[in-house]
Structure formats: C-alpha cells, structure tokens
Amino acid sequence: MNDKGMIIAGLIIFFTIFTFPIWYNHGAAAPPPEPELSQKAKAAKTCVEDTAYMRTEHMHLLNQWRNTAVRDGLREYTGKDGKTYEVSLSNTCLDCHSNKEQFCDRCHNYASVTPYCWDCHTYPKEKM
Amino acid sequence: MLEKAIKGSKTYWLWVLALLAVIAVGFMFYMRQLDFGLGITGMSRDVSWGFYIDQFTFLVGVAAGGVMVAIPHYLHDYKAFGKITVLAEFLAVSAVMMCMFFIVVDLGQPMRLLNVLLHPTPHSMLFWDMIVLSGYLFLNIVIGWNVLDAERNSVPPPQWVKPLIYLSIPWAISIHTVTAFLYCGLPGRTAWLTAILAPKFLAGAFAAGPAFLILLCLVVRKFTNFKIGQAQIQALAKIVCYAAITDLFFFLCEVFVAIYSQIPEHLEHLEYLFFGLHGHGALVPFMWLSILLIVSGILLLLIPSARENESVLAVACVAVFMGIWLDKGLGMIAGGFIPNPLNEITEYVPTMPEVMITIGIYASGLLILTILYKVVIGVKEELAGT
Amino acid sequence: MKKSRREFLKVAGITILGAGAGSLINGVSVLSAAESGRKPGLDFFKNSDALKAKRWGMAVDTRKLSDEICEKMQVSCHQLHNVPDFIKKFGKQEKRHEIKWIWETGFEHAFTGRENEFPRENLEDLPVVVTCNHCEKPPCVRACPTQATFKREDGIVMMDFHRCIGCRFCMAACPFGSRSFNFRDPRPAIYDRNPDFPTRTKGVVEKCNFCAERLAVGKLPACVEASEGALVFGDLEDPESDIRKLLAENYTIRRKPELGTNPSVFYII
C-alpha cells in the first residue's frame, strides 16, 4: 500500500498531541501544592469533620450541605466535635477559611477543577 | 457505506465547505451567547421563548412528517414509496439533530443539561420529549442504515428491522404529540390551552415535512443520477395538499371558537397576531403572509395541471413550507406569550446573533442531510450502474 | 434525619453507578466512611428558632398599602436577596431583562379577567403588590424537568439555583408572571451586595422564596416586616393563626383561582 507514509505520519502527529501535557512539562509533574490554613482555621484545630475526611470528601459533604439546606430546609449540622454549625458555605466554611486563594484555589488549580461556587456565593475578599 | 460521503465532485465539496463556513459563523455567535448569556437574543422576561424554540417545534414536525412516506409504504404496501423511504428517514435524522441543537442553544446553563437524566422527572413533559426525540433519532438511523445496506447488497433487510419500522410509525406521531403537550398543558397560556394543538401540529407536520421532501427529491433528481419518478412526487404532493387543508381547517376552528365565544383571553391573542393589540403589531404582516402562503400553496396543489407542472409544484411546496414555518414558529410560540399573564404587552423581535445561531444550526442540519443523502445517492447510483 | 441519611446513601449509590473508575473509587470511600461509627454528612437538623408551618401563606391588605410602602417592601426584598437593578445600571432598554421578586402593579394587571366597567371609585389607583403565589398545585413545579423548582413540605415553592438548567419551562408554566430569568450576569447590577445571601449566575430562573432563609432563623419575610402591617404572614392550616383570623373576618380574593393552582397569597381589596 502506498498509504504507509501517510498512516505513520498521522500516528506520529496523534501521539505528539496526545502526549502533549507530558512532554510540555518535561516529564516532571508539578509539585502538589499545600493548602495554607488561616489563623482562625489553625486555632480551631478541627474542621466539621476529620482533616483526612475533609481532604478527600469535602466536595461530597458540600454537595450534601447544599442539598439539605436548599431542598430539605435543614440548615444546622452537628460536626464531629459535637458542635453545631450553620450549613453555609459563605458564613461557615469561608468564615474560617477566609484565605480562598491559598486554601481553595491552589489545589483546585492544581487538580484543574473549577467549581462554580463563586459564581453566586460570596467569598470574604468580595465582602464590600 | 460512509465512504461514499468522502468521494464527491467539486460542487459537492464546495457545498460542504460553504456549510462548514456558515456553521463556523453560527458557532462564533454561540460562543458570544455562552459568554454573555441569553440576553443577546430578543427574548425577554415576558417572551421567554423565542426563535430557538420556534425552530425546534417546527423541525419536530419536519421529522415527524417522514411518517407520511412510511405509512403508505409499510402499512399499505404502496410500492412506489419504497424508493424514497430512506430519504424520509434520513431527513428525520437531520431534523431531530437540529431540534436537539436548538434545545441546547436555548438553555441558560447548557453544561447542566444532563441534570435532566440525573434527576428524571416524569411529571415534566420535557423529560418525555427528550425520550421520544432521542428514541426517534435512534430508530431512524438504525432503520435507514440497515434498509439501505440491504438494498446495496440486494438482499431483504434483516428480520429484526421490521418491528422497529412498525414501532417508528406511532413513535413519529408521539414526537409531535409530546411536543404539543409541552405547550397545551400550561394553565395560564390561553393561546396554547387547546386540545386541538397536537392534532394541528401533526397536520402542519404532515404538510411541511413532505413538502420539504418533494423539494429535496427535485434537487436530488436535478443534480444526481438517482432518478426519483413522477409517481412518488405526485403522491407526496397530494399528501401535502390534504395535510395543509387539514391544518388550515384546524386553524379556522380555533378562530371560530375565539370569535364566536367572544372570550377576551382567547380573542386577544389572535387579535394581537392578525391585527395588533393596543398599537403593538410586530407579527401582523408575517401572520397574514403565512395565511396567504398556505392558501395559495393549497390552491396550486389542488389544481391537477398546476400540481403536475414541477416548477409550479416546487413553488407550492416552498409556499406551504414557509407558511407553516411562520405560523408554527413565529406566531405560535413567540405569539403565545403576548399578552403576558398580567395582560401587558412586550413584543418580540429576534436579534442578529440569534438569527445567526439559528442559521448556523440549519447549516449543520443541512450538512448532516447532505452527508446522509450523499451515501444514499451513492448506493442508488451504484445499483443503477452509473 | 432519616431523610438525609436516605438521601446520602442514594447519592453514594449513584456515585458508584456513575461511569468511570475515578468516581467509582470516590463512591466506595464515601460508603466505607459512612459505615464506620459516626457517619459524616448525616447530622442535619432545623434551627430550634425556625418558624414552622404546615402551609405558609400571605394576606395582602390593600387598604393599608401605598406606593411608598410597596416601594419599601420591594427595596428591602431585592436588597436582601441581591436582586440586580438592570434599569438603574444599564438604562431603560434593559427593562425586558428585569428581575423582580415582588413588585407593585395595578388592579387590572394583578386580577385579569375581573374587568369592571363601573368599578369602585379609585380602584384603578389601588396599589396591588404581586409576587410568587406559592401555589398549592404549582404548574411550574410540574413543568420543571430537573426538580430545580420544587414544593417544600411547608408549602413554599423553592428554586434550587444549583440545579436549574435555564430551560425556562417554569416561566411558560407560571400563570402569574412571577418568574424572572437571568438573561445576563446579574452581579454588575447589584448594588450593596448582601454577603449572607448568594447572588445568581446568568442562565438560571429565580423568584420569591417567601424568605425561606429568614424563616429558618425565626424571622418573618422581609416584605412583611417592611409592610407596616399591610402584609400578614402565617400558617394557613392553623385556624388560630393571625392570617386565618384575618381571612375569616374579611372577604378576600386570589389571582386567577379558576386555574386551580390554589394560590397561597390572598388579597383584601
């Protein structure tokens, strides 16, 4: 077949594009960022749940929070420490984690996820 | 079989390129809409559905119209239509695809579209519309492709296609019925609140769909070696004629109820469309044009000598198609919102970006249609040995 | 509590069913967390101060209304809920994109079909305030394909802005014109943003929520507080409530009762 050259060229182009992220970063992964705690968060020592749980499951918990608050009208939550928290992203989470750039955005940017929370919810910097 | 679509004349490729260019322009405008929001359209708080939903409703009809070829052929063994059933099926495929595009561009948050599947809601008509439309798309692709493939190999289509064909007939009726149910079950919109809406939609569909198919047949015959005969085209023309008459009849029934009952809520809407209300009458010329087109189309199709002259037939088909497009699209959907529930009038005029996005989607539908028809014609020409 | 647990397991289950190995692993870890001792994400409850009712309703005493009071109610509602003012920001041509939760209109607009050739004196000038009727049988809820708008057990018809896909079927379904769509980003047109309430994003529908967020902490709706007694809010199912007493003492009408949606907003004319 005289299409051999074309096929091979096509394959090369495909693999070049497909592996773009790897060779663009010279094969080295960017170091994972460390989320920074604000003074208030440090002082509190614990979040509504264990740090390990929060780290892996905060998105599920937030999903739970928003569904329960909006749809079931249950706006109070008992944390692991037995304390009661208002079910509110802006008023509870962001009250401690007031440093959105260092706490939220760093990891989200690294993981290339763009939650649309801030399209509607207010974060501390924005409070006018 | 798809390889037939990548071997074509210069004209074919120029046509495909032209369509791609139009799609690209439409897409650019859609990017603007995604960025700014639906505010770049002419829609408003009061007229909250516009051009996109107009086209969606009309094209569901074009898709359903294909059944007017399937019924005579598969149920009444009208053999002449055997030659063109696949054309009707592929027209339905392209029309349903356009419907889906129009729904997506009409959404305020298109990236959340799959919420409809994530939170299935049987009491919402839109949920059912999604089911019947995607089902109809699937049926027509499977049926059309297998029947054509069998024809190419000169064997009868596989046995399992038969039940799908029979299923596709009531399914075609269902897509337009459910589309009508989107509107006619809403308590506050008196213009739509009529049991005759689904029948009227179907009548319009059985006129507009076959009218477009006739035009396509004429084009195919002119530009290719797939010679569609007089018999098919004349039979379709009669279908268009009687369906258009039924559509007009249903419309006049609506007019009678409104005028004789004198109930203001029913009257005001028609008054707005045909005479203008409180000095607002943006749609008046279009509505009269629509009536004029449908009536003259019917007259041309009724007179045998006119119908049998294919130039006249083409004119009549364009008239019926455009007439129903104006009535069902512009008048029925946008007009249905005027006056609003508080008896105030906000008028609707589509904006340039809105029209460009619409044209872009029509171009993408035509592209799908072109590719599918290219395959069909390739197979038919191969069989004819040309 | 039972409900949120069920909801939780359902979500976890859906996650497991979800395609893709990534979500599969996530789902499993959520489940295993749920099975070890205390289960995170389950302990939800209502604030003890929360106002509760079987079916919230409102009575509008138009005799006590004036243009000023209507204005005051609208301002306090729109301010609290971050409702944008496009006309102020972009000019009059933006009226068609206007967002309103509560607004003043005339008798003939609020009560279409009640035209009267010889109306009571000054009826045309009577200020009538309209908002979402929180219907008992809401057509908008029936139409919504994602349950983004839904009726709560206490009768409030709510919007879940996270879920709304912006199809605007609810706007076509609402016979009262109570719903607004975000045709553009509302944020530039919000003056004095209230950080305690979210704004909306472009492409979703919004409307009055009977101040569900205030009821949850024991406060009456903002419009009721601003109304100088013209609005009375309470439980329609409780015969001892103020609203029921008011309804028992006065002849009241509702908007478009013939449509059978059974509005929860009553008017004393």
Side-chain angles (χ1 to χ4, degrees):
Chain A
M1 288 290 280
N2 52 5
D3 285 346
K4 208 171 159 187
M6 296 282 274
I7 292 171
I8 290 175
L11 281 175
I12 291 174
I13 293 171
F14 172 75
F15 277 106
T16 317
I17 295 172
F18 192 74
T19 55
F20 175 81
I22 298 172
W23 57 259
Y24 183 75
N25 291 315
H26 316 293
E34 194 56 30
E36 217 169 87
L37 288 175
S38 65
Q39 290 306 322
K40 198 167 179 186
K42 268 186 202 152
K45 289 210 173 70
T46 171
C47 197
V48 295
E49 299 293 339
D50 289 339
T51 309
Y53 179 83
M54 290 311 291
R55 204 164 265 182
T56 53
E57 308 300 337
H58 65 277
M59 56 298 254
H60 300 293
L61 189 76
L62 283 171
N63 234 340
Q64 262 311 94
W65 273 35
R66 80 171 182 198
N67 280 336
T68 325
V70 175
R71 304 189 73 87
D72 304 333
L74 304 174
R75 291 165 187 262
E76 302 281 328
Y77 181 78
T78 313
K80 173 128 195 188
D81 53 2
K83 265 195 223 156
T84 296
Y85 297 91
E86 186 196 351
V87 179
S88 165
L89 177 67
S90 287
N91 299 343
T92 304
C93 307
L94 270 291
D95 183 41
C96 268
H97 302 293
S98 49
N99 50 340
K100 173 177 164 287
E101 284 81 8
Q102 291 87 36
F103 188 75
C104 310
D105 297 349
R106 251 185 214 177
C107 287
H108 288 161
N109 291 343
Y110 176 73
S112 192
V113 290
T114 44
Y116 55 80
C117 312
W118 318 112
D119 288 0
C120 301
H121 291 278
T122 310
Y123 54 90
K125 264 271 175 61
E126 278 188 315
K127 285 187 185 173
M128 284 155 284
Chain B
M1 282 193 296
L2 209 53
E3 76 278 0
K4 301 224 173 287
I6 54 169
K7 280 179 201 145
S9 64
K10 215 169 172 183
T11 330
Y12 169 70
W13 285 111
L14 273 177
W15 170 244
V16 168
L17 276 179
L19 287 176
L20 284 173
V22 177
I23 294 170
V25 173
F27 193 75
M28 269 158 51
F29 278 100
Y30 181 58
M31 287 292 116
R32 254 184 67 194
Q33 181 187 297
L34 265 188
D35 181 52
F36 184 88
L38 280 162
I40 67 166
T41 69
M43 288 183 265
S44 59
R45 193 183 189 279
D46 289 333
V47 184
S48 47
W49 281 336
F51 225 46
Y52 301 145
I53 297 295
D54 295 351
Q55 312 308 323
F56 157 77
T57 311
F58 176 73
L59 288 169
V60 173
V62 172
V67 81
M68 283 288 106
V69 176
I71 290 178
H73 179 64
Y74 291 116
L75 294 189
H76 301 289
D77 204 23
Y78 179 61
K79 296 226 164 49
F81 272 179
K83 214 172 169 182
I84 58 166
T85 48
V86 68
L87 291 184
E89 279 145 8
F90 284 169
L91 172 61
V93 170
S94 124
V96 174
M97 288 300 292
M98 284 191 270
C99 290
M100 290 177 166
F101 294 150
F102 276 116
I103 289 285
V104 171
V105 298
D106 189 66
L107 292 181
Q109 287 285 341
M111 47 301 237
R112 299 184 190 166
L113 175 68
L114 291 180
N115 275 0
V116 179
L117 296 176
L118 196 60
H119 310 286
T121 310
H123 54 65
S124 172
M125 282 299 123
L126 209 57
F127 169 75
W128 292 105
D129 214 38
M130 181 201 69
I131 290 179
V132 290
L133 278 181
S134 39
Y136 194 61
L137 180 67
F138 170 80
L139 282 174
N140 277 288
I141 292 177
V142 171
I143 295 169
W145 200 260
N146 278 290
V147 170
L148 188 64
D149 198 35
E151 190 179 336
R152 186 191 189 191
N153 299 325
S154 307
V155 291
Q159 276 304 307
W160 56 267
V161 176
K162 205 101 211 224
L164 291 186
I165 288 172
Y166 291 133
L167 179 64
S168 79
I169 291 170
W171 205 287
I173 311 289
S174 84
I175 62 168
H176 221 19
T177 305
V178 175
T179 305
F181 285 0
L182 290 177
Y183 311 109
C184 69
L186 305 178
R189 307 284 172 185
T190 26
W192 301 335
L193 194 69
T194 163
I196 213 176
L197 197 69
K200 183 170 186 302
F201 269 20
L202 283 164
F206 296 159
F212 192 56
L213 197 58
I214 291 176
L215 294 170
L216 287 174
C217 286
L218 293 176
V219 170
V220 166
R221 195 164 67 180
K222 192 166 161 68
F223 288 100
T224 75
N225 289 320
F226 175 27
K227 298 301 176 201
I228 298 156
Q230 190 75 3
Q232 288 86 350
I233 289 177
Q234 286 302 315
L236 278 175
K238 285 171 204 152
I239 291 172
V240 174
C241 180
Y242 291 108
I245 290 173
T246 312
D247 186 40
L248 192 64
F249 170 68
F250 286 157
F251 167 71
L252 293 174
C253 291
E254 294 275 18
V255 172
F256 171 80
V257 169
I259 292 184
Y260 199 82
S261 73
Q262 291 285 307
I263 297 173
E265 283 185 340
H266 291 265
L267 265 180
E268 271 165 359
H269 170 70
L270 281 176
E271 209 180 321
Y272 169 73
L273 287 181
F274 287 94
F275 302 101
L277 201 60
H278 312 310
H280 300 277
L283 296 179
V284 172
F286 298 103
M287 294 320 290
W288 285 108
L289 179 64
S290 158
I291 297 290
L292 182 74
L293 286 170
I294 294 177
V295 170
S296 51
I298 289 173
L299 286 178
L300 291 178
L301 290 169
L302 267 180
I303 304 164
S305 58
R307 187 179 65 227
E308 280 154 22
N309 177 333
E310 280 181 358
S311 317
V312 179
L313 177 65
V315 171
C317 287
V318 171
V320 168
F321 187 81
M322 292 305 294
I324 291 172
W325 180 76
L326 285 171
D327 171 46
K328 213 157 156 181
L330 219 49
M332 144 80 204
I333 306 301
F337 286 100
I338 306 168
N340 80 355
L342 289 99
N343 220 349
E344 298 153 341
I345 296 179
T346 308
E347 289 205 281
Y348 168 78
V349 181
T351 59
M352 209 268 287
E354 199 174 2
V355 173
M356 294 311 290
I357 293 170
T358 302
I359 292 175
I361 293 178
Y362 270 101
S364 67
L366 274 181
L367 182 66
I368 295 169
L369 191 72
T370 303
I371 291 169
L372 291 174
Y373 273 30
K374 183 78 178 54
V375 172
V376 175
I377 291 156
V379 169
K380 302 274 184 181
E381 284 178 343
E382 186 184 288
L383 289 173
T386 47
Chain C
M1 222 135 299
K2 242 182 187 165
K3 188 171 180 187
S4 55
R5 176 185 190 137
R6 199 178 59 211
E7 184 71 14
F8 170 77
L9 290 173
K10 206 167 79 191
V11 170
I14 287 168
T15 321
I16 285 188
L17 285 177
S23 59
L24 190 82
I25 292 159
N26 273 343
V28 170
S29 67
V30 170
L31 256 197
S32 56
E35 273 155 6
S36 61
R38 181 185 169 275
K39 294 155 192 77
L42 292 182
D43 283 343
F44 292 94
F45 57 94
K46 257 199 172 93
N47 185 322
S48 51
D49 298 334
L51 299 179
K52 297 182 187 82
K54 284 206 178 98
R55 180 181 165 199
W56 288 115
M58 192 157 80
V60 181
D61 191 342
T62 57
R63 297 169 303 190
K64 294 183 181 167
L65 278 184
S66 65
D67 294 341
E68 292 72 40
I69 293 176
C70 290
E71 169 85 16
K72 223 175 104 192
M73 293 192 292
Q74 187 183 38
V75 167
S76 85
C77 166
H78 286 188
Q79 170 64 42
L80 187 71
H81 295 115
N82 291 322
V83 175
D85 189 343
F86 289 135
I87 300 174
K88 184 172 166 192
K89 177 81 183 172
F90 301 110
K92 238 183 133 183
Q93 82 282 358
E94 276 296 299
K95 187 167 168 52
R96 66 194 183 101
H97 295 154
E98 193 181 17
I99 292 176
K100 36 191 186 181
W101 285 29
I102 182 168
W103 70 100
E104 186 194 332
T105 186
F107 181 86
E108 75 278 19
H109 293 300
F111 300 99
T112 55
R114 280 181 179 266
E115 286 79 6
N116 190 336
E117 253 184 292
F118 308 107
R120 193 185 77 197
E121 219 172 297
N122 298 334
L123 189 68
E124 292 103 324
D125 306 324
L126 186 76
V128 179
V129 71
V130 290
T131 181
C132 171
N133 278 299
H134 297 275
C135 304
E136 198 203 356
K137 287 187 266 172
C140 53
V141 171
R142 221 177 299 144
C144 178
T146 62
Q147 294 151 49
T149 192
F150 58 96
K151 203 179 89 173
R152 301 203 314 183
E153 277 170 4
D154 59 4
I156 296 182
V157 177
M158 280 278 280
M159 273 300 299
D160 184 344
F161 303 119
H162 307 103
R163 196 181 279 190
C164 176
I165 60 172
C167 71
R168 310 188 295 299
F169 204 176
C170 56
M171 294 178 79
C174 176
F176 305 105
S178 297
R179 292 175 160 268
S180 311
F181 179 72
N182 285 275
F183 279 96
R184 57 189 303 167
D185 182 13
R187 283 197 167 186
I190 300 173
Y191 297 88
D192 297 322
R193 198 195 301 171
N194 169 18
D196 296 329
F197 198 81
T199 68
R200 265 69 63 198
T201 178
K202 63 171 183 262
V204 298
V205 173
E206 62 180 85
K207 65 166 198 77
C208 155
N209 64 351
F210 259 4
C211 280
E213 81 286 358
R214 285 170 63 90
L215 296 174
V217 294
K219 292 183 194 161
L220 282 172
C223 57
V224 177
E225 268 189 8
S227 71
E228 300 179 16
L231 302 190
V232 174
F233 190 79
D235 188 353
L236 291 173
E237 301 276 315
D238 173 11
E240 298 306 309
S241 64
D242 289 349
I243 183 168
R244 278 290 296 276
K245 284 179 194 153
L246 193 71
L247 295 180
E249 284 161 14
N250 294 279
Y251 175 72
T252 54
I253 56 172
R254 290 184 291 175
R255 296 174 69 198
K256 305 189 183 179
E258 71 279 8
L259 299 182
T261 68
N262 213 2
S264 301
V265 177
F266 297 76
Y267 292 85
I268 303 170
I269 298 298

Coordinates of all heavy atoms in Angstrom, one line a residue, chain A residues 47-84:
Chain A
C47 N -11.9 20.8 61.6 CA -13.0 21.3 60.8 C -14.3 20.6 61.3 O -14.3 20.0 62.3 CB -12.7 21.0 59.3 SG -13.7 21.9 58.1
V48 N -15.3 20.6 60.5 CA -16.6 20.0 60.9 C -16.4 18.5 61.0 O -17.1 17.8 61.7 CB -17.8 20.4 60.1 CG1 -18.1 21.8 60.2 CG2 -17.5 20.0 58.6
E49 N -15.5 18.0 60.2 CA -15.1 16.5 60.2 C -13.6 16.4 60.3 O -12.9 17.5 60.2 CB -15.7 15.8 59.0 CG -17.2 15.8 58.9 CD -17.9 15.0 60.0 OE1 -17.3 14.2 60.6 OE2 -19.1 15.3 60.2
D50 N -13.1 15.2 60.4 CA -11.6 15.0 60.4 C -11.0 15.6 59.2 O -11.5 15.7 58.1 CB -11.3 13.5 60.3 CG -11.7 12.8 61.5 OD1 -11.8 13.5 62.6 OD2 -11.9 11.5 61.5
T51 N -9.7 16.0 59.4 CA -9.0 16.6 58.3 C -8.9 15.6 57.1 O -9.1 16.0 55.9 CB -7.5 17.0 58.7 OG1 -7.7 17.7 59.9 CG2 -6.8 17.7 57.7
A52 N -8.6 14.4 57.4 CA -8.4 13.4 56.3 C -9.7 13.3 55.5 O -9.7 13.3 54.3 CB -8.0 12.0 56.9
Y53 N -10.8 13.2 56.2 CA -12.1 13.1 55.6 C -12.4 14.4 54.8 O -12.8 14.3 53.6 CB -13.2 12.9 56.6 CG -14.6 12.8 56.0 CD1 -15.1 11.6 55.5 CD2 -15.4 13.9 56.0 CE1 -16.3 11.5 55.0 CE2 -16.7 13.8 55.4 CZ -17.1 12.6 54.9 OH -18.4 12.6 54.3
M54 N -12.1 15.5 55.3 CA -12.4 16.7 54.6 C -11.6 16.8 53.4 O -12.0 17.3 52.3 CB -12.1 18.0 55.5 CG -13.1 18.2 56.7 SD -14.8 18.1 56.2 CE -14.9 19.6 55.3
R55 N -10.4 16.4 53.5 CA -9.5 16.5 52.3 C -10.0 15.7 51.1 O -10.0 16.2 50.0 CB -8.1 15.9 52.7 CG -7.0 16.5 51.8 CD -5.6 16.3 52.5 NE -5.2 17.5 53.2 CZ -4.0 17.5 53.8 NH1 -3.2 16.5 53.8 NH2 -3.7 18.6 54.5
T56 N -10.5 14.5 51.4 CA -10.9 13.6 50.3 C -12.4 13.8 49.9 O -12.8 13.7 48.8 CB -10.7 12.1 50.6 OG1 -11.3 11.8 51.8 CG2 -9.2 11.8 50.7
E57 N -13.2 14.2 50.9 CA -14.6 14.2 50.7 C -15.3 15.5 50.8 O -16.5 15.6 50.8 CB -15.3 13.2 51.8 CG -14.7 11.8 51.9 CD -14.8 11.1 50.6 OE1 -15.7 11.4 49.7 OE2 -14.0 10.2 50.3
H58 N -14.5 16.6 50.9 CA -15.2 17.9 51.1 C -16.3 18.2 50.0 O -17.3 18.8 50.3 CB -14.2 19.0 51.3 CG -13.4 19.3 50.0 ND1 -12.3 18.6 49.7 CD2 -13.6 20.2 49.0 CE1 -11.8 19.1 48.5 NE2 -12.6 20.0 48.1
M59 N -16.0 17.8 48.8 CA -16.9 18.1 47.7 C -18.2 17.3 47.9 O -19.3 17.9 47.7 CB -16.3 17.8 46.4 CG -15.8 16.4 46.1 SD -14.4 15.9 47.1 CE -13.0 16.0 46.1
H60 N -18.2 16.1 48.4 CA -19.4 15.4 48.7 C -20.2 16.0 49.9 O -21.4 16.1 49.8 CB -19.1 13.9 49.0 CG -18.4 13.2 47.8 ND1 -19.0 13.0 46.6 CD2 -17.2 12.7 47.7 CE1 -18.2 12.4 45.8 NE2 -17.0 12.2 46.4
L61 N -19.4 16.3 50.9 CA -20.0 17.0 52.1 C -20.7 18.3 51.7 O -21.8 18.5 52.1 CB -19.0 17.2 53.2 CG -19.6 17.6 54.5 CD1 -20.2 16.4 55.2 CD2 -18.6 18.3 55.4
L62 N -20.0 19.1 50.8 CA -20.6 20.3 50.4 C -21.9 20.1 49.6 O -22.8 20.8 49.7 CB -19.6 21.1 49.6 CG -18.5 21.8 50.4 CD1 -17.4 22.4 49.6 CD2 -19.1 22.9 51.3
N63 N -21.8 19.1 48.8 CA -23.0 18.7 48.0 C -24.2 18.4 48.9 O -25.3 18.8 48.7 CB -22.7 17.4 47.2 CG -22.9 17.7 45.7 OD1 -23.7 18.6 45.4 ND2 -22.4 16.9 44.8
Q64 N -23.9 17.6 49.9 CA -24.8 17.2 51.0 C -25.4 18.4 51.6 O -26.6 18.6 51.8 CB -24.1 16.4 52.1 CG -24.2 14.9 52.0 CD -25.6 14.5 51.8 OE1 -26.0 14.3 50.7 NE2 -26.4 14.3 52.9
W65 N -24.5 19.3 52.0 CA -24.9 20.5 52.7 C -25.8 21.4 51.8 O -26.8 21.8 52.3 CB -23.6 21.4 53.0 CG -23.0 21.0 54.3 CD1 -22.9 19.8 54.9 CD2 -22.3 21.9 55.2 NE1 -22.3 19.8 56.1 CE2 -21.9 21.1 56.3 CE3 -22.1 23.3 55.2 CZ2 -21.2 21.7 57.4 CZ3 -21.4 23.9 56.3 CH2 -21.0 23.1 57.4
R66 N -25.5 21.5 50.6 CA -26.3 22.4 49.8 C -27.7 21.8 49.5 O -28.7 22.4 49.5 CB -25.6 22.8 48.5 CG -25.7 21.8 47.4 CD -25.2 22.4 46.1 NE -25.3 21.4 45.1 CZ -24.6 21.4 43.9 NH1 -23.8 22.4 43.7 NH2 -24.8 20.5 43.0
N67 N -27.7 20.5 49.3 CA -29.0 19.8 49.0 C -29.9 19.8 50.3 O -31.0 20.1 50.2 CB -28.8 18.4 48.6 CG -28.4 18.3 47.1 OD1 -28.7 19.2 46.3 ND2 -27.7 17.2 46.7
T68 N -29.3 19.6 51.4 CA -30.0 19.5 52.6 C -30.6 20.9 53.0 O -31.7 21.1 53.4 CB -29.2 18.9 53.8 OG1 -28.4 17.9 53.2 CG2 -30.1 18.3 54.8
A69 N -29.7 21.9 52.8 CA -30.1 23.3 53.2 C -31.2 23.8 52.2 O -32.2 24.3 52.7 CB -28.9 24.2 53.2
V70 N -30.9 23.6 50.9 CA -31.8 24.2 50.0 C -33.1 23.4 49.8 O -34.2 23.9 49.8 CB -31.1 24.3 48.6 CG1 -32.1 24.8 47.5 CG2 -30.0 25.3 48.7
R71 N -33.0 22.1 49.8 CA -34.1 21.3 49.4 C -34.9 20.8 50.6 O -36.1 20.7 50.6 CB -33.7 20.1 48.5 CG -32.9 20.5 47.3 CD -32.7 19.4 46.3 NE -33.9 19.0 45.7 CZ -34.4 19.6 44.5 NH1 -33.7 20.5 44.0 NH2 -35.5 19.2 44.0
D72 N -34.2 20.5 51.7 CA -34.9 20.0 52.9 C -35.1 21.1 54.0 O -35.7 20.8 55.0 CB -34.2 18.8 53.5 CG -34.0 17.7 52.5 OD1 -34.8 17.6 51.6 OD2 -33.0 16.9 52.6
G73 N -34.4 22.2 53.8 CA -34.6 23.3 54.8 C -33.9 23.0 56.1 O -34.2 23.6 57.1
L74 N -33.0 22.0 56.1 CA -32.3 21.8 57.4 C -30.9 22.5 57.3 O -30.1 22.2 56.5 CB -32.0 20.3 57.5 CG -33.2 19.4 57.5 CD1 -32.9 17.9 57.5 CD2 -34.2 19.7 58.6
R75 N -30.8 23.5 58.1 CA -29.7 24.4 58.0 C -28.7 24.4 59.2 O -27.9 25.3 59.4 CB -30.2 25.9 57.8 CG -30.9 26.0 56.4 CD -31.6 27.3 56.4 NE -32.4 27.4 55.1 CZ -32.0 28.1 54.0 NH1 -30.9 28.7 54.0 NH2 -32.8 28.1 53.0
E76 N -28.8 23.3 60.0 CA -27.9 23.2 61.1 C -27.2 21.8 60.9 O -27.8 20.9 60.5 CB -28.6 23.3 62.4 CG -29.4 24.6 62.7 CD -28.5 25.7 63.1 OE1 -27.5 25.5 63.7 OE2 -28.8 26.9 62.7
Y77 N -25.9 21.7 61.3 CA -25.2 20.5 61.2 C -24.4 20.2 62.4 O -23.7 21.2 62.9 CB -24.3 20.6 60.0 CG -23.4 19.4 59.7 CD1 -24.0 18.3 59.0 CD2 -22.1 19.4 60.0 CE1 -23.3 17.2 58.7 CE2 -21.3 18.2 59.7 CZ -21.9 17.2 59.1 OH -21.2 16.0 58.8
T78 N -24.4 19.0 62.9 CA -23.6 18.7 64.1 C -22.3 18.1 63.6 O -22.3 17.1 62.9 CB -24.3 17.6 65.0 OG1 -25.6 18.1 65.2 CG2 -23.6 17.5 66.3
G79 N -21.2 18.7 63.9 CA -19.9 18.3 63.5 C -19.4 17.1 64.3 O -20.0 16.7 65.3
K80 N -18.2 16.7 63.9 CA -17.6 15.5 64.6 C -17.3 15.9 66.1 O -17.4 15.0 67.0 CB -16.3 15.2 63.9 CG -15.5 14.2 64.6 CD -15.1 13.1 63.7 CE -14.6 11.9 64.6 NZ -14.0 10.8 64.0
D81 N -17.0 17.2 66.3 CA -16.7 17.6 67.7 C -18.0 17.9 68.5 O -17.9 18.3 69.7 CB -15.9 18.9 67.7 CG -16.5 19.9 66.8 OD1 -17.6 19.7 66.3 OD2 -15.9 21.0 66.6
G82 N -19.2 17.6 68.0 CA -20.4 17.7 68.7 C -20.9 19.2 68.6 O -22.0 19.5 69.1
K83 N -20.2 20.1 68.0 CA -20.6 21.5 67.9 C -21.6 21.6 66.8 O -21.6 20.8 65.8 CB -19.4 22.3 67.6 CG -18.8 23.0 68.9 CD -17.9 24.1 68.4 CE -16.6 24.1 69.2 NZ -15.5 24.7 68.6
T84 N -22.4 22.7 66.9 CA -23.4 22.9 65.8 C -22.9 24.0 64.9 O -22.4 25.0 65.3 CB -24.7 23.4 66.5 OG1 -25.2 22.3 67.3 CG2 -25.7 23.8 65.4

